[in-house]
Amino acid sequence: MSESIHIKQTIVVRARPDVLYRLALEPKRRAKWDPNLAKAEYEGEGGRLANNSLVRFKFTRRLLGLAFTAKYGQLQAPQRGGWESVRHVGPLEKLTQGWVFKPMPGGTEVTLTVNGKVRYKWVRVPVERVLHNMVATTLLELQRTVDAQGAQLMEDMGRELAEKQKADQKAAKEAAKAAKRKK
């Protein structure tokens, strides 16, 4: 009766794999930048990113505000990691998410895979559409989050360079005026 949904998308992000690994898999960090998650936290006291750790996720209202518990697995810092729902998530019997971070020159190739098993055949198409949208926005926001820091750094460096050039030009003008006065 149940049907499977498989979604896999890849982008290249200008950041180190370890930085992306922590951003994507650490629940508190993930909740800060991912527009699809309203809340993400470890279940119980002193939770940490490890295999078999339980995490409570809550989607935003746009994703029906579904709350569920997931168990981390396949964690190999900083190359891969993911989680799988412990019980059903709304119309899904099972929902899994897997991340792969492959270093390459100039950044990291990030692959996000989402698999779901739909409980009812008639709901497959709308759920698949929602999951595709979720994967795309998650990857774009990850890239935007990482590159915003890089963009800010580049902007600051550019501003400092412009100020230095202005100072050099001013010093050259002053030197030219001083040379004229001596004649």
Side-chain angles (χ1 to χ4, degrees), residues 5-183:
I5 297 173
H6 303 287
I7 300 167
K8 185 176 185 177
Q9 290 187 15
T10 302
I11 62 168
V12 176
V13 180
R14 288 188 310 229
R16 294 189 331 261
D18 59 320
V19 171
L20 295 170
Y21 177 84
R22 285 192 305 276
L23 274 173
L25 293 166
E26 197 57 58
K28 294 271 189 220
R29 291 182 186 193
R30 173 86 181 266
K32 287 180 185 173
W33 62 264
D34 192 342
N36 299 308
L37 290 176
K39 215 170 162 184
E41 58 194 15
Y42 289 108
E43 203 168 74
E45 291 294 314
R48 63 182 192 82
L49 189 58
N51 283 322
N52 298 321
S53 293
L54 293 177
V55 180
R56 294 274 311 147
F57 288 110
K58 182 171 172 60
F59 287 138
T60 56
R61 289 182 62 169
R62 194 169 40 88
L63 296 170
L64 306 177
L66 297 172
F68 62 98
T69 303
K71 182 171 73 170
Y72 275 115
Q74 302 173 346
L75 295 177
Q76 293 177 347
Q79 288 109 14
R80 71 178 64 240
W83 51 259
E84 130 179 335
S85 62
V86 176
R87 285 182 286 289
H88 65 81
V89 181
L92 296 166
E93 275 181 35
K94 187 167 278 307
L95 180 64
T96 63
Q97 190 175 84
W99 292 85
V100 176
F101 307 98
K102 187 171 151 191
M104 56 187 295
T108 303
E109 185 181 275
V110 179
T111 303
L112 174 56
T113 307
V114 172
N115 295 316
K117 203 171 247 179
V118 180
R119 293 164 76 184
Y120 313 105
K121 192 174 186 175
W122 59 269
V123 81
R124 183 183 189 277
V125 173
V127 167
E128 188 169 17
R129 194 175 301 128
V130 167
L131 289 176
H132 266 291
N133 188 20
M134 185 179 84
V135 168
T137 56
T138 297
L139 287 173
L140 287 173
E141 282 302 316
L142 175 65
Q143 186 174 36
R144 199 173 282 143
T145 300
V146 173
D147 285 352
Q149 294 167 347
Q152 186 64 45
L153 179 65
M154 293 301 284
E155 192 177 306
D156 292 345
M157 286 173 54
R159 195 176 303 120
E160 286 174 15
L161 183 63
E163 287 172 4
K164 186 176 184 235
Q165 286 176 339
K166 274 186 183 177
D168 289 347
Q169 286 174 346
K170 192 173 184 181
K173 276 185 183 178
E174 294 297 324
K177 280 184 185 178
K180 265 189 177 177
R181 283 189 215 132
K182 283 186 180 178
K183 285 186 179 180

